[in-house]
Structures are given as C-alpha cells and as structure tokens.
Amino acid sequence: MPTRILPAVGDADAVRSVTTLLSQLPDAEPVAPVVDSTQLVDTLARLAAESVDELPEVVVVHERIGPVPALELIREVALRFPAVGVILVTSDPGPALFQAAMDHGARGLVALPLSYEELASRVHAVAQWSVGVRRHLGSGGDVFTGAGGTVVTVSGAKGGVGTSLTAIQLALAAQASGRPTALVDMDLQTGDIASYLDVQFRRSVADLATITDISPRVLADAVFRHDTGLALLLAPGEGERGEEVTDRAARQIVGALRSRYEVVVIDCGAQLGGAGAAAVETADTALLVTTPDVVAVRGAKRAVRMWDRLQIRKAEETTVVVNRHTRSTEIQPALIQKITGTLVAATAVPANFKELQGAVDAGRVHELDSRSTVKQALWALAGELGLVRAAEPGRKAGRFRGDRGATGARRRKDGGG
C-alpha cells in the first residue's frame, strides 16, 4: 500500500526540493503540497470529514511555514488528527529543537539540506507508526475524525458594550439547536461569565495552561457542565492567575476544545492580551461588539487597526456586531462599517436593557424570557453566523431544543449593515 505524504512548505524553492525527493521514495504517493498553515489544516479537515482513512499517513512540515509557527502548527495537527504522523524539516536539527518538536507532537525531524536516505528512513518509520495507530484504534477509540469545531471569538470595542452577554447567548443558541457547544471565558482578569450563569466552580482555564498534552479526560476535568448543557471553561477566580495563560497555552486549549465540540464561543473581553490575541488569530469568526456611540466606535476602529498592525486579523476578516441599536441614533451600522473597514453583522441588537436587568441581576441570563427582543436578536445573529443547526423536519420553526418558545435564527429586517 503506498504511503500518502502531504508536504506543507511555504517557500517555492523548498517546495520543488521537497516534492522532488518525496516523489523518488519507494511506495510513496506525494499529494499536492499546501503552502501555509491554514491550507494544511483545512485540507486535513476536509479529508477527515470523509473518513479517517482518507487522511495522509505522513505530513512533512517545513520550518518556514506560516502564518502559524511550525511547532504550533504541529501541535494543532497532532491534537486534531492524532492518526497523522508529522515530520519537521529544519535547518537546526539540534537536541533542543528535537525535544521541542517531540513535545509538540512531531514523530520525526529531518535536517536541511535534505538527504534522500534520511528522508526515506524518517518517512518509512512515521508511516509505519501511523498505520499502526489506525489499526490499533480502528474506527472507534477516542480519535476525532471530524472537520473540527467552529471557533467564534467575541471581543469588545471597550468595556460595557455587551461582550459577555453576546457570547453567552450565541453559545446558548448553538447548544439549544443540538450542537455540542463550549463557552470559554478568556477575559482572564475580569471575566464574568460565571456570575452571569450563577456558577460556582473550582477549575478554570488557568489549570490547563501548564499542561502540554490536553487529553479528553484532562479537558473534561477542567470543564464545568452547566444545566443548559453548555460546557463552560471559566476565567480564574484570582485574576492574577490569568498571566499563566500564555498565547501558546491558549492555542493548545482552543485546539483541544475545537476537537471536542461542534461550536466553541470565546469571550475575549475588551483588553487584548497574548491569550486573547491567539484566540482571535485562530478563530473561524472574530466578532467585535460595539455600541452606536462615538466613544465605542472609536474604540472599535482602534482595536481593528491594532489587530492589523500586530497581524492578528485583517479588518475585512472581522465582523462588527452593533449592540443597543435604535433607529433614531445618528450612528447607524452602515456608518460603522465605513469607519472601521470591517464587515457588519446584518443583525443589530436593540437597546432594551429593561428586558435584561432582572436576569442579569439574578445571574440567570440563561433564563432570559424568549419574548425578549434582545434575546431574539442575539439568537438570530447565531443563525446568521451559521452556529445553529437547521431545524429538523416537523419541528416548529423558531424553536430550539431546551428553550421554551425561543425565537430561532431569523433575521431582523431593520438590522442594517
């Protein structure tokens, strides 16, 4: 049986060198190379969605792949596609890098310039390992073979614009539609999701920060299972512990959650740290919540520009959500889109705090009345973002499981954008 090998190489000269040598290996079946980390993960996810047997046995990652650094990319592949063996190609094959590569989940390391004998030996060994893993685990076991969950980050243009409430309601909508959902509080020093949902907890996201291999059991121990079915990974009760969650830890945590849940909603708050930046960078959808006033819109514009300068996310890859919207305000969604250069969600959230105050003060926002126009808009936003599962035939439109009378994902005509 031929060994399928997927090269992940960004440099054009390196692509030719790697693919030429791979094509000469006995029983090798090199597939078309991918040129960056995003394309690699997307390709593996597409193949895994068909069957784990469609995945290549070996992935060869060049050290200059981007935009995600090679070691972080290897960790993500190892977490999401554990039956795929990864080989790192590097110009620095010293013991320190070798150990780091192994810690991140690589199965081998090959030095530059490439040697036919060394490459053939590594590919053969890693391919045998991959085949052995698949034979041992079969079609069952604890291997995730799906395309990976959808990750949505929710950030605030400034404090007090409704970031946490938005994140919570999006997660509730996804969960109520039948999609297993995790809600993460990455506002590490001032996170309030536990207060909004009346939760007493012992473990937090900080407890995962120093763990190099987040197994399903370790993740389950850190997650709080809410009455609504949501899996909650909460900010630490002691704000200073937030410093323990580095950008590397955040990438690993998000990768582990993505491999376990169909939807992962992350509340990043209004202050951008390393962990929040890593989450925004790796998200499928990055939301930025603002209110239609001068100060908040300036904050949104400032945040978008900072994300672009730091190469976290481009403006056109960011979606602004307008909260507390009224028809009478001078600043409408179309103007916000022009000012920020971002996309603006078609669903605007109306200004009606009176509907929320009782549920917020009681810490029971998950019990918000389904007749609430704010809840209806936020659940409609979840539908716009593709976070809710389509209604089953025969189910009354607009009702999700676990939500009595909840309004489903229908768009507001006056959303504007």
Side-chain angles (χ1 to χ4, degrees), residues 131-146:
V131 171
V133 167
R134 297 178 195 204
R135 184 184 303 118
H136 174 70
L137 294 171
S139 59
D142 205 19
V143 178
F144 177 74
T145 60

Side-chain angles (χ1 to χ4, degrees), residues 8-11 34-42 61-74 76 247 251 277-278 280-283 307 310-314 317:
V9 187
D11 181 80
V34 295
V35 298
D36 59 39
S37 57
T38 301
Q39 190 180 2
L40 172 60
V41 174
D42 288 348
V61 174
H62 194 279
E63 63 181 355
R64 291 200 297 271
I65 195 73
V68 175
L71 290 179
E72 298 302 324
L73 177 60
I74 289 170
E76 183 172 359
D247 56 343
R251 289 182 188 278
V280 171
E281 184 181 6
T282 57
W307 290 3
L310 297 177
Q311 297 184 336
I312 296 170
R313 205 169 193 95
K314 296 179 181 178
E317 297 173 346

Side-chain angles (χ1 to χ4, degrees), residues 9-11 38 90 111 114 139 150 161 169 224-225 246 253 262 352 359 363 368 372 380-381 383 385 390:
V9 187
D11 181 80
T38 301
T90 177
L114 291 174
S139 59
T150 298
V161 296
Q169 291 298 330
F224 181 94
R225 183 65 63 178
T246 63
I253 291 165
E262 286 191 34
N352 201 339
L368 186 62
S372 161
L381 176 63
L385 298 173

Side-chain angles (χ1 to χ4, degrees), residues 379-391:
W379 284 44
L381 176 63
E384 180 183 335
L385 298 173
L387 301 185
V388 299
R389 183 173 290 165

Side-chain angles (χ1 to χ4, degrees), residues 123-189:
V123 167
H124 178 70
V126 173
Q128 283 191 322
W129 171 87
S130 176
V131 171
V133 167
R134 297 178 195 204
R135 184 184 303 118
H136 174 70
L137 294 171
S139 59
D142 205 19
V143 178
F144 177 74
T145 60
T150 298
V151 176
V152 177
T153 56
V154 186
S155 306
K158 68 180 190 68
V161 296
T163 307
S164 295
L165 182 68
T166 300
I168 291 169
Q169 291 298 330
L170 291 178
L172 287 170
Q175 179 70 34
S177 75
R179 302 188 72 183
T181 301
L183 175 61
V184 185
D185 198 342
M186 202 69 81
D187 187 0
L188 296 172
Q189 292 187 334

Side-chain angles (χ1 to χ4, degrees), residues 10 24 49 60 67 99 177 239 270 324 341 349 383:
Q24 297 173 6
V60 177
Q99 184 61 53
S177 75
R324 299 174 198 154
V349 183

